[in-house]
Amino acid sequence: MTILVTGARGNVARALVGQLLDSGHDVRAAGRDPGRARLQAEVEVVAADLARPAGWDAALAGVTKAFLYAGTAGLDGFLSRASGLEQVVLLSALGADPTSADAITRAHGEAEQAVRDSGLPWTCLRPGGFAANRLLWADSVRTGVVRDPFPESHSALIHEADIAAVAVCALTSSGHLGATYSVTGPESLTVRQQVAVLGRVTGRPVRVEVQDLDDYRRELTAAFAARGLGSVGSAEVVEARIRRLAALVGRPQATTATVRDVTGRPARTFAEWAADHAAAFTR
């Protein structure tokens, strides 16, 4: 069984590739520039872009199952060429809804619907906030000041390794077809609490400074553009994110037991994620 993992440079994809290899599975990794993912030598790496569906024919040859990201242009074209797959595992978002006014939530809901309508066996993973997004704070942690417009906003951030672990179970064991899994970390922490964790793990004094909203808008838009996600960083999406953060001020996010229920082990805490990535905040 060869499993195709798309978005090869993504944090979840790289964790998934490693865990599938450790479990003894054959893996093919695909992306627009997969060579930059620096994957293990055993991984077959192919260049493919969802915006160019015809390019996926070679990537899909001999593949049994696939892991995909929602909200990516060209998903319909990919699905039309993937009719022989035994399963698609889609990485979506918590609260995905094709009727939502929130652009990201709507795009992920539409992607889920496209997978269901494809006729392929499917499983959807809906993580909450990614702990890996805190890597954007690396420079700020090194300088000792993290600026954020909503320091008391809560999130139950999930370690990318835990998302990958749920995906491995969904792809390689029975009982997951047609399931939609909401996946969060085990605790809801405010931005201020997350910064404190990073300070303890790195041994650096780090404080939080309230950021002007206009500055935050500019920084978020630039961050998306730097990652090649300019369309995701549109004004509509940035404003939707600001509304979500504001709504979570002083309101702990609900957590799920999905990681434990599916994998048999508890989800990693934010402190564990911070320890795993400490080098990124200190070098």
Side-chain angles (χ1 to χ4, degrees):
M1 179 174 72
T2 297
I3 298 173
L4 176 68
V5 177
T6 68
R9 291 172 56 196
N11 291 296
V12 176
R14 285 186 285 113
L16 176 57
V17 166
Q19 291 182 30
L20 286 171
L21 288 176
D22 290 344
S23 300
H25 297 281
D26 293 330
V27 183
R28 181 179 297 160
R32 284 178 293 181
D33 190 4
R36 293 179 62 186
R38 300 179 182 177
L39 298 171
Q40 297 87 332
E42 310 96 294
V43 180
E44 181 186 359
V45 178
V46 297
D49 185 348
L50 285 176
R52 298 177 177 84
W56 287 91
D57 292 339
L60 283 164
V63 165
T64 307
K65 299 183 178 184
F67 174 83
L68 299 170
Y69 285 84
T72 307
L75 182 61
D76 288 338
F78 173 91
L79 293 172
S80 69
R81 286 171 161 76
S83 58
L85 292 182
E86 295 177 5
Q87 183 188 18
V88 168
V89 172
L90 183 73
L91 184 65
S92 184
L94 205 62
D97 179 0
T99 66
S100 174
D102 180 323
I104 293 178
T105 301
R106 182 173 65 248
H108 284 252
E110 290 170 351
E112 287 189 10
Q113 192 60 51
V115 168
R116 294 189 187 98
D117 291 345
S118 72
L120 295 168
W122 56 268
T123 306
C124 288
L125 308 185
R126 290 179 170 179
F130 289 14
N133 288 340
R134 294 314 187 214
L135 291 169
L136 293 172
W137 287 349
D139 289 341
S140 299
V141 170
R142 284 192 286 269
T143 60
V145 181
V146 171
R147 301 173 68 241
D148 190 274
F150 304 107
E152 307 308 325
S153 180
H154 274 262
S155 53
L157 300 179
I158 181 77
H159 197 307
E160 65 272 10
D162 285 331
I163 301 173
V166 174
V168 168
C169 290
L171 287 162
T172 64
S173 60
S174 60
H176 304 288
L177 296 183
T180 298
Y181 293 124
S182 297
V183 189
T184 72
E187 58 194 345
S188 181
L189 300 176
T190 65
V191 166
R192 197 178 300 278
Q193 290 170 325
Q194 293 162 26
V195 170
V197 168
L198 289 169
R200 290 195 297 272
V201 167
T202 60
R204 293 169 177 263
V206 188
R207 63 183 175 86
V208 179
E209 182 179 285
V210 178
Q211 184 178 23
D212 178 79
L213 266 180
D214 286 338
D215 287 345
Y216 177 74
R217 288 184 178 96
R218 286 190 290 270
E219 286 188 8
L220 188 59
T221 301
F224 280 127
R227 294 160 61 191
L229 300 172
S231 61
V232 176
S234 67
E236 179 188 2
V237 172
V238 168
E239 292 306 314
R241 175 163 295 197
I242 288 172
R243 288 194 297 271
R244 284 200 301 274
L245 293 174
L248 288 168
V249 170
R251 295 179 56 190
Q253 184 180 9
T255 61
T256 69
T258 303
V259 174
R260 183 189 292 275
D261 293 344
V262 174
T263 72
R265 55 166 301 280
R268 296 165 175 86
T269 64
F270 183 72
E272 290 176 286
W273 178 88
D276 288 344
H277 296 80
F281 295 92
T282 56
R283 60 170 175 257

